[in-house]
Amino acid sequence: MATSFSGPPADGRGRLARTAALAAALVVLAAGGQLLGLWEPLELMAYDRVVGVRFAAGPPSRAASRIAVIAVDERSLERLGAWPWPASVHARLWQVLARSRPAAVGFDVMLKERPRDPADVRALIEAARRLDGLVMPGGAEAPFPELAGAVRHLASIRYPVDPDGRVRRLVSEPGEPLPMAAVLAALANEASGATTSAGPPSPRAAPAPAAGGSSVWWIDWRRPPVVRWPLSVTALFPTYSLVDVLDGTVDPSWIEGRVVLVGVTAPGVAGADRHLTSLARLGPVPGVLVHAGAVRALLDPGAVRRAGGWSATISAVLVGLAWAAAGSASGRRGGPARAGGRLLVPLALLGLYEMAAVTLFVWAGWWLPMAAPAMGLLGTQIAAGAQAVVEERRRRRHVEMAFGRYVAREVLEELIRSSDLPAVGGARRKVAVLMADLCSFTPFAERHAPEQVVEALNAYLEAMARPVLEAGGMLDKYLGDGILAVFGAPVGGPGAARRALLASMAIVERVQALNRARASSGRCALDVRVAIHAGEVIVGNVGIPERLDYTAIGDAVNLASRLQDLAGPGEVVASVPAMEAARTETGVPPPAPRGWQRFDPETVTLRGRREPVAVVRWRKTGLAAGDGPGPLAV
């Protein structure tokens, strides 16, 4: 079967180059997107998910018991009146807290306006001086000047709110006060002799810039050792109503040595802030409890530490290497199964990486990039999918160009689906070889004009080739006035020898029908002779990449050619190996079709061969009623 196309659609070096390019694109897409912040919204969503996993399955908080929340709740508002309260209430609370000796007190209430009564001013200043560790809002939220001068620590109560409306971190900017939670955590650790990542508390309102720029502390949420259901944010920390503290109902030992946060928790109070957090199940959280959660995050071991851009690069490189390895291992010819396998390896590695990242976060607080590798792989897979579509179309055109004129459409489609294109050098196959040619064609060509010869030749070749295609065989090549056909290649299948035998008989019948038609119009008729043999051959592309022949080579082809010389007009000569192969395929010897006579096996000596060959002859005895050149029933 001669072909004149420019070789396979993709060679090994081109495949490796494309795979390496896609792997490099994955690394650049993942790492570059991470460094540019393109994946930050997805990373924050992933952060929320792993925070939820850590809350549910991670270690419980050790620091929650070191925190106490004094809530301006609905009971307190009912007893003490509408908000805001007079300065005397705050002064009284500070006096009670000073006697309880907390480690630090975060007062999440703004007292920016100076009380009109000088006695209230003196009471606030005196109580503030007596309450060591009092931290009040600083900056734009700082109290009136006299009180600000009496308070040792002023801190920021602002939180950066992400575009999705959630609070996830504390940020310290150069020239700005430290966040209140950072100052409280530093005071608590100072009182206990420990250290904190927030650094030492700043004296009074002096700014505490982070070395080299901004500092960020991430807020996660941990469950307490004992969880009360239904879950609410006030169940995460010991929480007391402010009015109970004033009445002395709260034992001072419950406050001693703890970080105390005072703020509004009652809904509907003007100026009281509420925020969504990374733990969605908590819903909107009052600002004072966000401070409590931030203090706990700083005090608990295993605080969240976000890995730098290097981790995104490393993770992307790992997935990129897996992609490259999978692409190389999948072979030159894609196909859906191998394309799936090429994706499966990096997906599996990505899954292992994500599982490791979640485990490190839950148990050690290490936050590795999770969106960057996934998005890099997704983007590269989209590119690879587009490339696969292009290559599959190119491969399909290649197969159609190579085999479309030599096999039936059904065989062509099966060959396309198989994704196994024949390679240069070929492969060993068990096939059935069919050879047929016209008797006395040379004298016929000598006596007739070339136009008549071509017209007759095309008609007879059509009668010989059509049964081969209908039986699922491959028309290897035209041999002048004959054909060479192969059954069992390029696509293997059951019954190759039986299909070859039936096709040979159909060829004789089609030629006889053609002869009757030609004789009725006064044209010359020619007989055909056919031979088949079964055996091993090498089938594949032979030649150079610019011009290849897909053909069958081997002794079986040579023997079929010799058997054809032995056949008489209108006769089929089948080797005994071919008959045995047909019997093995069906379990019974091939029966003689109607109108055909089968002769007993005979042993013949063929030209050029030392050993005799056993053959069986089949001869058409005449057309029965209804016989004719219809489609071959295999």
Side-chain angles (χ1 to χ4, degrees):
M1 182 184 72
T3 57
S4 57
F5 51 90
S6 58
D11 59 15
R13 286 176 296 180
R15 181 184 74 253
L16 290 177
R18 284 191 298 274
T19 300
L22 284 173
L26 189 155
V27 175
V28 172
L29 186 62
Q34 179 77 5
L35 295 176
L36 295 175
L38 299 179
W39 316 133
E40 188 64 10
L42 297 176
E43 292 289 358
L44 294 179
M45 292 174 60
Y47 177 79
D48 295 345
R49 299 299 183 270
V50 292
V51 165
V53 174
R54 193 178 204 191
F55 183 89
S61 171
R62 299 181 186 177
S65 59
R66 298 175 60 187
I67 300 170
V69 176
I70 297 178
V72 180
D73 55 6
E74 293 174 316
R75 287 183 56 239
S76 300
L77 294 173
E78 291 174 0
R79 286 275 303 277
L80 300 176
W83 188 264
W85 291 334
S88 58
V89 175
H90 304 305
R92 182 183 168 196
L93 175 64
W94 292 352
Q95 292 168 0
V96 173
L97 291 177
R99 292 193 296 269
S100 301
R101 295 184 297 178
V105 176
F107 196 69
D108 187 27
V109 176
M110 291 185 291
L111 298 178
K112 300 172 64 174
E113 295 185 4
R114 187 179 187 276
R116 295 181 180 180
D117 188 345
D120 288 340
V121 175
R122 290 193 299 271
L124 281 175
I125 294 174
E126 180 64 23
R129 288 173 176 170
R130 293 180 57 190
L131 182 56
D132 290 335
L134 176 62
V135 183
M136 292 194 68
E141 292 82 19
F144 59 92
E146 295 93 331
L147 182 57
V151 177
R152 292 186 58 193
H153 306 289
L154 299 179
S156 173
I157 59 172
R158 296 186 179 185
Y159 290 90
V161 180
D162 290 319
D164 59 355
R166 297 185 182 276
V167 170
R168 297 181 175 91
R169 58 189 176 271
L170 303 169
V171 176
S172 174
E173 298 288 353
E176 296 291 333
L178 278 171
M180 177 178 284
V183 176
L184 292 172
L187 289 171
N189 283 326
E190 185 180 73
S192 64
T195 59
T196 178
S197 60
S202 58
R204 292 178 53 78
S214 302
S215 293
V216 178
W217 299 278
W218 291 92
I219 305 172
D220 67 339
W221 294 88
R222 307 261 196 101
R223 69 184 189 279
V226 178
V227 181
R228 291 176 291 171
W229 299 97
L231 180 67
S232 67
V233 68
T234 55
L236 302 182
F237 311 99
T239 304
Y240 310 106
S241 177
L242 186 144
V243 70
D244 291 336
V245 176
L246 293 179
D247 291 347
T249 305
V250 177
D251 192 318
S253 64
W254 298 351
I255 295 176
E256 182 178 2
R258 292 184 174 181
V259 176
V260 176
L261 287 127
V262 181
V264 177
T265 62
V269 175
D273 56 335
R274 288 177 175 266
H275 304 282
L276 295 174
T277 67
S278 55
L279 192 62
R281 69 181 70 181
L282 296 179
V285 176
V288 64
L289 291 167
V290 174
H291 288 301
V295 173
R296 184 220 52 77
L298 292 171
L299 293 180
D300 257 329
V304 176
R305 291 159 290 176
R306 186 173 189 179
W310 57 267
S311 59
T313 303
I314 292 176
S315 60
V317 167
L318 290 176
V319 178
L321 290 176
W323 175 271
S328 299
S330 65
R332 171 172 62 86
R333 305 168 188 90
R338 292 184 180 178
R342 180 169 55 189
L343 179 61
L344 183 61
V345 174
L347 276 180
L349 185 60
L350 177 64
L352 291 175
Y353 168 82
E354 299 288 350
M355 290 175 60
V358 171
T359 302
L360 284 173
F361 185 93
V362 169
W363 294 101
W366 275 105
W367 178 14
L368 300 179
M370 286 177 276
M375 293 306 298
L377 181 62
L378 175 62
T380 308
Q381 177 58 19
I382 292 175
Q387 180 201 19
V389 170
V390 173
E391 288 192 353
E392 178 63 20
R393 288 180 178 175
R394 185 189 309 166
R395 193 184 71 87
R396 186 181 184 95
R397 288 196 301 269
H398 169 75
V399 174
E400 289 176 344
M401 288 172 58
F403 298 97
R405 292 177 295 170
Y406 306 98
V407 297
R409 189 66 192 179
E410 295 78 8
V411 177
L412 179 65
E413 291 296 333
E414 186 175 350
L415 182 62
I416 291 174
R417 289 193 300 269
S418 72
S419 75
D420 288 324
L421 292 183
V424 174
R428 188 181 294 270
R429 288 274 187 91
K430 289 185 177 180
V431 300
V433 181
L434 181 151
M435 298 193 74
D437 74 343
L438 297 174
C439 301
S440 303
F441 180 77
T442 301
F444 170 80
E446 293 175 350
R447 296 194 306 268
H448 292 79
E451 293 80 4
Q452 294 176 308
V453 173
V454 171
E455 181 274 330
L457 182 61
N458 285 335
Y460 281 104
L461 290 179
E462 167 78 13
M464 289 187 282
R466 190 62 60 188
V468 171
L469 299 179
E470 291 175 358
M474 182 193 74
L475 192 61
D476 189 317
K477 57 175 63 74
Y478 292 105
L479 303 172
D481 61 336
I483 63 170
L484 167 62
V486 177
F487 293 79
V491 177
R498 177 176 176 272
R499 289 185 285 117
L501 180 61
L502 293 178
S504 65
M505 296 177 180
I507 289 173
V508 173
E509 293 176 355
R510 298 282 179 93
V511 169
Q512 290 179 350
L514 176 62
N515 285 338
R516 290 193 299 274
R518 291 177 63 84
S520 64
S521 59
R523 291 175 293 175
C524 182
L526 297 171
D527 286 320
V528 68
R529 55 182 180 174
V530 188
I532 63 171
H533 177 59
E536 278 195 346
V537 297
I538 299 296
V539 290
N541 285 320
V542 177
I544 61 175
E546 287 75 15
R547 184 171 181 84
L548 301 173
D549 276 352
Y550 182 83
T551 187
I553 299 176
D555 184 64
V557 179
N558 297 331
L559 182 56
S561 177
R562 298 290 183 266
L563 294 179
Q564 178 187 261
D565 295 338
L566 186 66
E571 192 173 68
V572 174
V573 174
S575 69
V576 169
M579 300 298 295
E580 288 295 324
R583 184 183 65 82
T584 302
E585 292 164 354
T586 60
V588 296
R594 183 172 53 175
W596 281 87
Q597 180 181 3
R598 171 179 172 174
F599 295 86
D600 293 333
E602 60 180 290
T603 302
V604 297
T605 300
L606 301 177
R607 176 172 53 86
R609 301 188 67 88
R610 297 179 181 177
E611 300 294 330
V613 179
V615 299
V616 174
R617 295 178 184 269
W618 298 78
R619 187 172 298 156
K620 183 67 174 174
T621 58
L623 283 175
D627 289 346
L632 178 64
V634 180

